[in-house]
Amino acid sequence: MTQPTPLRKAVACALLVLGAHATTTQAAEFHLYVKCKGTLSASGKSKPAHLDLALRDNNTTALIQRSNVLPKGERLVYTQTPTDYTMVYKLRQPGTHYYHDWLNGSWVIWQPNLKRLATIRLAIDRQEGELEGELLDFNDDLIGTLQMTCEKVDPDELPEPKL
């Protein structure tokens, strides 16, 4: 077995430094973390709802970090105006596979009309922190609404991952 040359050691150290820098860059990609709590209402019934988003400035992407109204891990494109952040989530057409844990789960059972859900439109007021959302069917008819209060969260105060 041969001893590593000084050049190999230098290259290995440089790769480690670049890898560590890439990891910190990945962690700092999002500029705004938002936690929202409120209600989902449909046909006179309502249910508690929550939505945690991480927003990225450079490509206007919103990552769903935790929610019981949208699938966790999905990325939405948002539009930023001086007053609002707006975004749209389109569900897949009927007959395709849905996320079992949220569409076939508890939030559809309490309101059968939500089985026709096709689009969710969201708007977060940047001054007031209020989220308003519309749940639409495939004909763009309103079948439900979302009303939430959102607050900015410091990413340094978020809990560490368990795994």
Side-chain angles (χ1 to χ4, degrees):
M1 193 147 180
T2 61
Q3 291 287 342
T5 64
L7 179 60
R8 283 189 180 177
K9 285 183 181 178
V11 169
C13 288
L15 288 174
L16 284 172
V17 168
L18 285 173
H21 178 68
T23 303
T24 57
T25 302
Q26 288 288 333
E29 289 182 52
F30 297 100
H31 76 285
L32 178 63
Y33 295 83
V34 179
K35 290 176 106 41
C36 303
K37 291 180 183 175
T39 58
L40 168 66
S41 301
S43 299
K45 296 180 182 178
S46 65
K47 179 180 178 175
H50 59 83
L51 174 64
D52 295 355
L53 296 170
L55 285 81
R56 184 181 297 151
D57 240 354
N58 61 353
N59 65 357
T60 61
T61 299
L63 173 67
I64 301 167
Q65 294 186 304
R66 187 179 72 94
S67 180
N68 65 346
V69 292
L70 290 172
K72 184 172 76 170
E74 285 288 314
R75 294 177 186 266
L76 309 172
V77 175
Y78 71 88
T79 303
Q80 178 179 339
T81 68
T83 58
D84 295 297
Y85 294 111
T86 60
M87 55 200 87
V88 174
Y89 182 74
K90 294 263 189 197
L91 277 72
R92 296 182 179 113
Q93 294 294 321
T96 60
H97 177 71
Y98 288 107
Y99 293 92
H100 184 274
D101 63 339
W102 74 280
L103 191 58
N104 293 328
S106 62
W107 76 287
V108 173
I109 293 169
W110 67 272
Q111 185 45 259
N113 284 346
L114 294 178
K115 289 183 180 180
R116 299 188 335 252
L117 184 62
T119 305
I120 299 173
R121 290 193 296 218
L122 304 172
I124 302 173
D125 185 304
R126 294 179 64 190
Q127 278 72 39
E128 301 295 323
E130 299 294 321
L131 179 144
E132 293 182 358
E134 298 179 333
L135 291 90
L136 307 170
D137 66 10
F138 290 102
N139 297 319
D140 285 336
D141 293 329
L142 185 67
I143 58 174
T145 60
L146 284 167
Q147 295 289 323
M148 296 186 179
T149 302
C150 302
E151 61 182 39
K152 182 178 176 180
V153 179
D154 183 1
D156 295 332
E157 294 176 10
L158 293 173
E160 290 292 321
K162 290 185 180 183
L163 303 174

